[in-house]
Amino acid sequence: MTITIYDVAREANVSMATVSRVVNGNQNVKPATRQKVLAVIERLDYRPNAVARGLASKKTKTVGVIIPDISNVFYAELVRGIEDIATMYRYNIILTNSDQQADKEVQLLSTLFSKQVDGIVMMSDEVTKDMLSEMERSSVPIVLAGTVETSESFPSVNIEYHDAAVDAVNRLIQNGHTRIAFVSGNMDSTIDRVYKRSGYEKALKEANIEIDDNLIVGVDNTYDDGLAAWEELGQLNNPPTAFFAGNDEIAIGLIHGAQDSGLNVPNDIEVISFENSKLARMVRPQLTSVVLPLYDIGAVSMRLLTKFMNKEKIDEQIVVLPYRIEERDSVK
């Protein structure tokens, strides 16, 4: 038999309003009464009905989170940042996986709306027209985490991807490289196509290095694709001597491909990645990498969302976090 708030009130000989105040942490209850109610709650094993409370308050205290690939370690720190702040503000998370499929992202948005979430944190490679249309229909706030929507219609948290790419490529140019390959994720992605690639090209142009399209390779963001990219680029008549990789998995694939070919990193080739996940410290040599502050992006996105959900003052809805290059052993 389900224990209700009525049962607790009857056993404690108080009103249901008093039980509700105790459950919700309202301080306007005498300490003795609070202790009596809490004792009854524990004895009866009463668990407040979150659905009923949500219907009464028109808030479910749940937040939907959409990420591209739940199996990718890249997103673990991001989700941890979201979860920590959500817990701090007493929100529950509904975590969903889009498999990097635009149609599924639209479907997940619709599903989360139907579950009456109070808000959504979303990470996507590309905000498509269909997705933007679905987001614009939303009656709940949406914050984009590590995702660029060029019209800036929705709040977002990112870093300066373009500037970070310029700095990464300049780091390789400073070591005398003129054959620098750019191997990154799907070039349909705004961040990869518009920001990382443009930063790569800007650095080369400023150093008077000719841009060779043969050295620009778009792949999936996986280790195996990094290996495949090495096979492709290593066969060129004039192969690259340095690589700017779009993420750590790609970079590790490139490193292992080079090592399997008998080359040494960083003596024969140098590699710099863009991510700085835990993998960057696990590979040998350890990766020099642009630090994408995943935990901070998640935490700040969730905090920004709480401000929108609670109608707090918003100073800036487009948040740009700082980045740095973590020097390790894959670059001299």
Side-chain angles (χ1 to χ4, degrees):
M1 179 178 176
T2 301
I3 301 299
T4 67
I5 191 173
Y6 172 78
D7 298 319
V8 175
R10 185 188 62 221
E11 288 291 316
N13 195 28
V14 297
S15 69
M16 287 190 289
T18 297
V19 177
S20 178
R21 283 193 286 269
V22 171
V23 168
N24 289 298
N26 191 311
Q27 297 303 310
N28 295 323
V29 180
K30 293 179 179 179
T33 302
R34 180 184 304 279
Q35 290 301 318
K36 181 169 64 172
V37 171
L38 290 173
V40 172
I41 287 173
E42 183 176 358
R43 177 163 57 83
L44 297 181
D45 194 24
Y46 169 63
R47 301 177 187 274
N49 188 321
V51 175
R53 293 167 71 184
L55 290 172
S57 66
K58 296 185 179 180
K59 290 185 177 181
T60 61
K61 297 299 286 187
T62 58
V63 168
V65 177
I66 301 174
I67 61 173
D69 184 359
I70 201 169
S71 67
N72 191 325
V73 296
F74 174 82
Y75 303 109
E77 291 183 51
L78 177 106
V79 174
R80 180 60 185 269
I82 294 171
E83 172 68 21
D84 283 354
I85 301 303
T87 299
M88 185 184 302
Y89 286 87
R90 298 185 177 181
Y91 283 92
N92 296 308
I93 294 286
I94 300 176
L95 181 61
T96 63
N97 177 56
S98 70
D99 293 321
Q100 297 177 304
Q101 297 177 13
D103 290 345
K104 189 172 181 181
E105 286 173 332
V106 174
Q107 176 190 337
L108 289 173
L109 280 169
S110 179
T111 299
L112 290 172
F113 295 153
S114 70
K115 291 184 180 297
Q116 304 296 308
V117 295
D118 296 336
I120 293 173
V121 177
M122 182 171 185
M123 189 175 206
S124 173
D125 288 339
E126 182 73 9
V127 179
T128 64
K129 288 183 179 179
D130 288 343
M131 194 189 312
L132 186 59
S133 176
E134 188 71 17
M135 289 163 59
E136 288 171 341
R137 293 176 51 228
S138 171
S139 59
V140 301
I142 298 173
V143 174
L144 301 175
T147 302
V148 173
E149 193 276 303
T150 52
S151 72
E152 297 188 345
S153 301
F154 289 86
S156 63
V157 181
N158 289 285
I159 67 168
E160 287 285 4
Y161 301 103
H162 172 86
D163 293 352
V166 171
D167 288 349
V169 177
N170 277 335
R171 179 71 181 79
L172 298 171
I173 292 172
Q174 289 165 9
N175 285 0
H177 296 282
T178 58
R179 297 287 290 169
I180 302 171
F182 172 48
V183 184
S184 194
N186 187 342
M187 291 300 175
D188 289 335
S189 160
T190 300
I191 291 175
D192 285 313
R193 183 187 72 252
V194 177
Y195 295 99
K196 291 182 186 176
R197 179 168 178 168
S198 65
Y200 163 82
E201 293 180 346
K202 179 181 179 181
L204 295 183
K205 288 177 181 176
E206 289 180 344
N208 295 316
I209 298 172
E210 183 179 354
I211 296 171
D212 184 348
D213 289 338
N214 292 320
L215 299 184
I216 301 173
V217 179
V219 297
D220 289 334
N221 290 309
T222 68
Y223 169 81
D224 288 337
D225 283 285
L227 283 172
W230 167 261
E231 292 296 327
E232 176 183 340
L233 293 165
Q235 299 301 316
L236 295 175
N237 291 331
N238 188 11
T241 59
F243 294 81
F244 172 41
N247 72 13
D248 292 343
E249 281 202 38
I250 293 172
I252 294 170
L254 291 166
I255 287 174
H256 286 174
Q259 291 171 336
D260 290 345
S261 300
L263 298 178
N264 178 272
V265 180
N267 293 329
D268 297 320
I269 67 164
E270 296 184 72
V271 179
I272 188 167
S273 70
F274 196 115
E275 188 173 270
N276 196 50
S277 69
K278 291 179 180 179
L279 293 175
R281 302 188 303 277
M282 296 166 68
V283 69
R284 293 296 181 271
Q286 292 187 340
L287 278 171
T288 294
S289 182
V290 173
V291 176
L292 185 59
L294 299 171
Y295 180 92
D296 293 344
I297 288 175
V300 173
S301 296
M302 184 64 212
R303 179 63 184 108
L304 185 57
L305 184 63
T306 64
K307 289 184 178 182
F308 279 100
M309 292 187 295
N310 297 318
K311 295 180 170 54
E312 298 177 40
K313 180 183 177 182
I314 309 293
D315 294 321
E316 193 70 50
Q317 76 166 20
I318 306 299
V319 179
V320 179
L321 299 179
Y323 69 89
R324 71 181 193 280
I325 294 179
E326 185 71 32
E327 296 283 352
R328 296 195 181 93
D329 303 324
S330 62
V331 173
K332 293 179 183 177

